[in-house]
Amino acid sequence: MIPLPSTLRIWLAAGVTDMRLGMPGLALKVQEALGRDPFAGDVYAFRGRRGDLVKLIWHDGIGLSLYAKRIERGHFLWPSAKDGAIHLSPSQLTCLLEGVDWRNPQKTWRPELAG
C-alpha cells in the first residue's frame, strides 16, 4: 500500500456499494451520498456486498487514484450503519486492509519456543 501521512482524513462509506463502479462513479457517490468533496484530498473507502472487496479513492492534488483489494479468505470488517461515513485513522485503515478488526485490534499470539 502507498504510505499515508498521519494527517490524512479517511472515511468509510457505511453500507454496501456496487463494486462495478470506477473512479467517476465512486467520486459521484462521495459527492451525492456522503455530501463531501471527492477532490479535497481525503481518502474514501467502499465495500462490496460480499465483503471480500474494498475500493479506496483519493485525489492527491494531481489526479484521482483508485486502490482495490480483494481478501482471499473471510471478509473486511465494516460498520453496520446503513448510510453515512465513519472517520478512521491511517493505522485503523491499515488494520482494515490487513483483515484485522480495526475496532479492537488484538496482538497476534506467537509461539515462544521452537521445540
Side-chain angles (χ1 to χ4, degrees):
M1 168 113 182
I2 299 167
L4 302 172
S6 61
T7 58
L8 190 64
R9 292 177 302 200
I10 300 161
W11 300 96
L12 287 184
V16 296
T17 303
D18 183 358
M19 287 290 104
R20 296 175 292 182
L21 294 175
M23 286 186 280
L26 291 173
L28 186 63
K29 190 163 183 74
V30 168
Q31 186 174 337
E32 291 182 350
L34 303 179
R36 300 190 177 276
D37 180 10
F39 307 110
D42 296 347
V43 174
Y44 296 93
F46 301 91
R47 179 185 157 200
R49 183 164 307 281
R50 290 187 314 189
D52 65 342
L53 177 64
V54 84
K55 286 187 179 181
L56 299 145
I57 63 164
W58 71 96
H59 194 275
D60 61 2
I62 299 171
L64 198 61
S65 300
L66 174 70
Y67 175 84
K69 183 169 184 176
R70 183 177 309 275
I71 197 166
E72 296 295 324
R73 287 187 302 187
H75 62 276
F76 293 104
L77 296 172
W78 219 253
S80 59
K82 297 290 182 202
D83 58 357
I86 291 104
H87 181 265
L88 287 185
S89 70
S91 61
Q92 287 174 319
L93 177 65
T94 301
C95 287
L96 179 131
L97 293 176
E98 293 299 322
V100 175
D101 186 354
W102 56 272
R103 300 164 298 186
N104 185 21
Q106 300 289 324
K107 185 174 181 177
T108 305
W109 178 83
R110 294 184 55 127
E112 295 180 13
L113 299 173

